[in-house]
Structure formats: structure tokens, C-alpha cells
Amino acid sequence: MEKIHKKDRINIHIVDDHKMVVESLSRLINDSRIAHVTHVYYDIASCRHGLSQQLPDILLLDIGLPDGDGVDFCAQLKKQYPALKIIMLTSYKEFNIAKRALHNGALGYILKNAESEEMILGIQTVYQEELFLCEEIDLLLKTKRNEEVIWLSNREKEVLAYIAEGYTTKQIADIIFRDVETVRTFRRNLLVKLNARNTAEMVKKGYEKRLIW
């Protein structure tokens, strides 16, 4: 486990069993001056232990790990650390895997062959608690998704309406008598269900599909 100490940057941990990938990605992130990699892990076990000692701002998580499935591990981490922001870093372009990762709480899905600018943009976007999909995955989900039917629960519609009116996550939590993390989960689910990359697009689609009046 390597440590780098810098201030005023987004704190990143990486979990990937390919050392060359880790080294290349760490160099890219550190050179960006936007974020810095403070810990790297090569399997789930070491990551689990490391996170018990210190949580990052964002965890870059590979899917194919030697001691387990990163998508399943994502769900476990979100249950244990609800506020942890996770970006899936992978070579898998399959629709079902991407959807399962988002369902399990990932806020980002980036392919390992993504351009460096896209990687940094993904980190910045997820840090702001917005969903980020690399271009290939975004196109894949839009192609596969059934655009005709969008089902939202009454609570999701209520939260969407408050978001459209400009209320913050904390304000919405106070209004609906829920904790902030629950509202964050509603926001994440709305982004996925409306196939939106950010809050502005989510609200726009909400009006277009008459989910907001």
C-alpha cells in the first residue's frame, strides 16, 4: 500500500490487480493537480482493511479482482459506508454489468481505455455527487434502455419536484423527514431511472416526461 500526502486535492484510492494500470492511472491523476492517489490496493481484502483505517473522497474500483467481484463489493461498501463515492474502473462494456454496478451504488462507470480528460472529468463529476458515465457506456445504456416507460415511486416524484425547485439535499431531507444519505440515494436512483448525466438533465427530462408539474 503506497501513500502520498498532498493537500487541497480530491483524495483517491484505487483497487486494481494490474500493477501497470495502477501506476499509469496514479501518474495521470497526480499530474492533473485536481486529485491525488493516497492509497492503492490489489485485491478486495487489502482494500477492506485500508478503508477501515481511512476513507477517500472517491474509490476507483476494478470489477475483475482476484478475490471477488468488484460489483458485489461495491454493494457491500455502500452498505457499510453510505457516503463513499465509487467509480467502477473496468474493461467490461456489457449493459447488464453497467446497470448492476449503478444499481449497487456506483456513481461512475469508466472504461480503462478512456481518454485522460474523460477520466479526470469523471472524478470531478462524481466528487460533486453527480452520476458520470464514460461516453461508450452512456451510448450503450441509451441504446439498450426502454425510453417509453419510466416508473417513479411517489417519494421519488416528490424528491424530483423539490430538486427542480432548487432545494438542496439537506433541505429536502428536512422537509421529508429523512436523513441526508437517503435523499442522496433518491437522487442517484433518479439519475439512473431518467438516464441523466447530471441534475440539470434530470430535471429537464422530468418536465419533458411530465413527471414534474
Side-chain angles (χ1 to χ4, degrees):
M1 184 165 60
E2 302 172 7
K3 294 184 179 180
I4 303 171
H5 297 288
K6 294 182 181 178
K7 294 181 180 179
D8 303 323
R9 298 190 191 182
I10 302 169
N11 182 358
I12 304 290
H13 290 192
I14 301 175
V15 193
D16 195 300
D17 61 326
H18 296 92
K19 190 172 182 179
M20 290 184 64
V21 171
V22 170
E23 291 176 350
S24 175
L25 188 56
S26 296
R27 187 163 50 250
L28 184 158
I29 292 171
N30 293 333
D31 288 347
S32 74
R33 301 186 180 278
I34 297 296
H36 63 123
V37 178
T38 55
H39 290 77
V40 299
Y41 313 101
Y42 299 102
D43 54 38
I44 287 175
S46 60
C47 176
R48 196 186 302 277
H49 175 73
L51 294 181
S52 70
Q53 306 300 311
Q54 181 189 43
L55 290 177
D57 295 316
I58 295 175
L59 179 70
L60 293 181
L61 176 59
D62 191 13
I63 289 180
L65 293 164
D67 54 347
D69 180 346
V71 178
D72 291 338
F73 186 45
C74 175
Q76 296 168 22
L77 289 175
K78 289 300 295 182
K79 184 175 181 180
Q80 187 172 4
Y81 308 110
L84 179 62
K85 304 177 186 70
I86 299 174
I87 296 175
M88 304 309 298
L89 179 67
T90 180
S91 300
Y92 294 102
K93 301 179 184 180
E94 285 81 357
F95 171 77
N96 289 334
I97 295 177
K99 290 294 287 186
R100 187 161 64 93
L102 297 175
H103 177 75
N104 284 359
L107 263 182
Y109 197 100
I110 302 178
L111 297 178
K112 291 183 181 181
N113 64 354
E115 297 291 335
S116 57
E117 293 83 1
E118 190 171 38
M119 182 69 68
I120 299 305
L121 177 60
I123 288 172
Q124 291 176 294
T125 302
V126 168
Y127 183 66
Q128 297 298 325
E129 299 186 4
E130 298 281 2
L131 179 71
F132 183 86
L133 305 174
C134 67
E135 186 175 0
E136 286 186 64
I137 296 301
D138 186 44
L139 290 173
L140 175 65
L141 294 182
K142 285 180 177 177
T143 300
K144 295 282 188 179
R145 185 175 172 276
N146 181 352
E147 288 287 347
E148 295 182 1
V149 179
I150 296 178
W151 182 86
L152 299 183
S153 68
N154 289 334
R155 181 64 83 183
E156 286 172 332
K157 290 179 181 178
E158 181 183 13
V159 170
L160 180 59
Y162 284 128
I163 292 171
E165 291 175 19
Y167 287 89
T168 66
T169 298
K170 176 64 168 59
Q171 288 172 329
I172 296 171
D174 291 340
I175 293 170
I176 68 174
F177 303 105
R178 297 291 186 92
D179 58 67
V180 169
E181 191 53 43
T182 298
V183 177
R184 285 176 179 155
T185 299
F186 280 128
R187 293 183 72 112
R188 184 171 62 246
N189 290 342
L190 286 166
L191 285 167
V192 173
K193 287 187 174 184
L194 288 166
N195 200 27
R197 300 191 70 173
N198 52 51
T199 300
E201 185 178 355
M202 177 177 71
V203 170
K204 180 175 180 290
K205 288 188 175 184
Y207 281 115
E208 289 174 350
K209 298 181 182 300
R210 295 183 173 272
L211 298 170
I212 307 171
W213 296 89

